[in-house]
Amino acid sequence: MNTTMKRFLLGTTAVVGLGLLIPAPVFAAEPMSLSIDGTVDVKLRIVNQDDEVASGGRSHVLQTDNAGFNFKARGEADNGLVYGAKIEIDADAGTGTVAFDEIMVWFSGGWGRLEIGNEDGADNIMYNHGASVMTGGGGFDGGPADAFTIAAGTTSPDINGVSDATKITYFTPRINGIQVGLSYTPDTDGEGTDTLATNVAATGGIQDHIGLGINFVQSFDDVGIRLSYVLSRGDAELNSSKDTNSWSVGGQVDFGNISAGAGFGDAGDSGELTGSLVSAQTFADFTVRYKDGPMTVSAGFFSGSAKIAGTTDDDVDIFSVGAGYSVAPGLSVYAGFDLIDVDQAGTASDNKGTLLTIGTSMSF
């Protein structure tokens, strides 16, 4: 990891933050505003797969795996500085627990945007690909692995990031359609903690992680274009694990009622155990979506592969179709169908089958 880059990022964000926050006197143009929004999602999943032993023979399940609240505060100082905070709370009916998922503060102005806290990094936020235009419960990016037995390598179109671990992220202003984002995460094991010993403990996390995102967003007449490149790189805390080094490219085109997105990513041997024969983990996805008023339909394909030296590659192919309908403000219903084919080195863990998802979502 380039030490100069880490110091530059920390130093730059500190200088920018102090330079914008300290100018005296700074008064709020008006009191901070507070907003609350939430989501409740209930779905039925019906699966039919060859490997029924691994799934315990269960063929259907009802899930409430997406429910929570967002508390958002926003203010503006008389010098033009805009600032705010977000606290995201997730509810888990299965365990009966309530957990804080994302906690962050942000500052923005003509100089860009600075985020500090538990939030996705630039490598996640700035990425556009096939899953970005999928509907009907998310299709291949909606969690088929949660209901379908996939004992193989690459199972979704995601690079190896650090999720909501505590980090610093800076986004430049968008100039001629181009924006750059850069994130620094000291230690993924330090999420939400204030004890330095905990933050540096070698327990299998990632430290000194850099997330980079570059995208281009522009409209030409009735055509909208989004192009992106993202990079995720960090040091494994344990000598028994390999460092994270992943990248992805993707794009999206919108024309009238039609949108199309595609992406390709390579995670190399990120996160693999030392001595692993996995040399590359790649994926590609493509989706087309049509929207007409309250109705959206989409069809997409995902292909993931883990290259293993001296043997046959592990391959996962998922074809997804989906539809969603907005019944009323904040209320929608959706359905999705996934055709899944898992081909692992050796036939013991091969699996084929289908997954049907029917659900309703309420946002308020």
Side-chain angles (χ1 to χ4, degrees), residues 325-333 360-363:
Y325 185 82
S326 179
V327 179
L331 174 62
S332 62
V333 294
T360 181
S361 179
M362 185 175 296
S363 300

Side-chain angles (χ1 to χ4, degrees), residues 54-68:
S55 66
R58 175 175 293 178
S59 61
H60 60 278
V61 64
L62 271 172
Q63 295 179 310
T64 54
D65 60 351
N66 184 18

Side-chain angles (χ1 to χ4, degrees), residues 14-303:
V15 170
V16 170
L18 290 174
L20 290 164
L21 298 178
I22 290 180
V26 175
F27 301 101
E30 57 185 28
M32 292 189 70
S33 61
L34 175 65
S35 63
I36 303 175
D37 60 65
T39 302
V40 176
D41 187 280
V42 183
K43 67 185 72 172
L44 169 66
R45 282 181 160 175
I46 302 173
V47 64
N48 179 22
Q49 57 184 321
D50 294 344
D51 190 1
E52 293 185 351
V53 175
S55 66
R58 175 175 293 178
S59 61
H60 60 278
V61 64
L62 271 172
Q63 295 179 310
T64 54
D65 60 351
N66 184 18
F69 293 92
N70 289 312
F71 295 86
K72 300 177 182 179
R74 183 185 185 280
E76 183 173 352
D78 58 6
N79 68 346
L81 174 69
V82 183
Y83 55 97
K86 182 182 78 169
I87 300 176
E88 181 178 321
I89 301 176
D90 287 346
D92 189 334
T95 61
T97 60
V98 175
F100 291 92
D101 184 43
E102 295 179 348
I103 303 174
M104 52 90 77
V105 296
W106 56 269
F107 311 92
S108 68
W111 46 271
R113 179 180 172 99
L114 179 68
E115 298 181 353
I116 307 174
N118 305 106
E119 176 64 283
D120 292 327
D123 49 321
N124 181 282
I125 294 174
M126 303 183 74
Y127 187 40
N128 286 102
H129 54 115
S132 302
V133 297
M134 199 75 207
T135 189
F140 51 75
D141 197 33
D146 296 337
F148 192 92
T149 304
I150 303 179
T154 307
T155 61
S156 66
D158 299 311
I159 64 173
N160 295 61
V162 293
S163 188
D164 299 330
T166 311
K167 61 177 64 68
I168 300 173
T169 300
Y170 171 69
F171 298 97
T172 68
R174 188 172 297 280
I175 301 175
N176 294 327
I178 298 175
Q179 185 178 42
V180 178
L182 193 61
S183 301
Y184 173 66
T185 306
D187 191 336
T188 58
D189 288 333
E191 182 174 353
T193 66
D194 59 4
T195 304
L196 183 60
T198 301
N199 292 355
V200 299
T203 58
I206 302 172
Q207 60 186 10
D208 291 332
H209 179 272
I210 295 293
L212 170 68
I214 304 173
N215 67 15
F216 172 78
V217 179
Q218 194 63 270
S219 296
F220 305 93
D221 295 327
D222 294 331
V223 179
I225 297 177
R226 296 173 178 266
L227 304 174
S228 64
Y229 167 81
V230 294
L231 172 71
S232 172
R233 180 173 294 180
D235 299 331
E237 289 185 344
L238 298 180
N239 292 331
S240 57
S241 297
K242 297 186 178 182
D243 295 340
T244 292
N245 188 8
S246 307
W247 60 269
S248 294
V249 293
Q252 177 180 331
V253 177
D254 303 306
F255 178 73
N257 295 338
I258 300 176
S259 298
F264 175 83
D266 189 342
D269 59 3
S270 298
E272 293 293 315
L273 295 177
T274 302
S276 169
L277 297 179
V278 176
S279 60
Q281 302 171 81
T282 60
F283 74 82
D285 66 348
F286 176 75
T287 301
V288 176
R289 180 183 67 194
Y290 176 79
K291 179 176 176 61
D292 184 11
M295 170 68 76
T296 58
V297 293
S298 65
F301 179 74
F302 165 84
S303 180

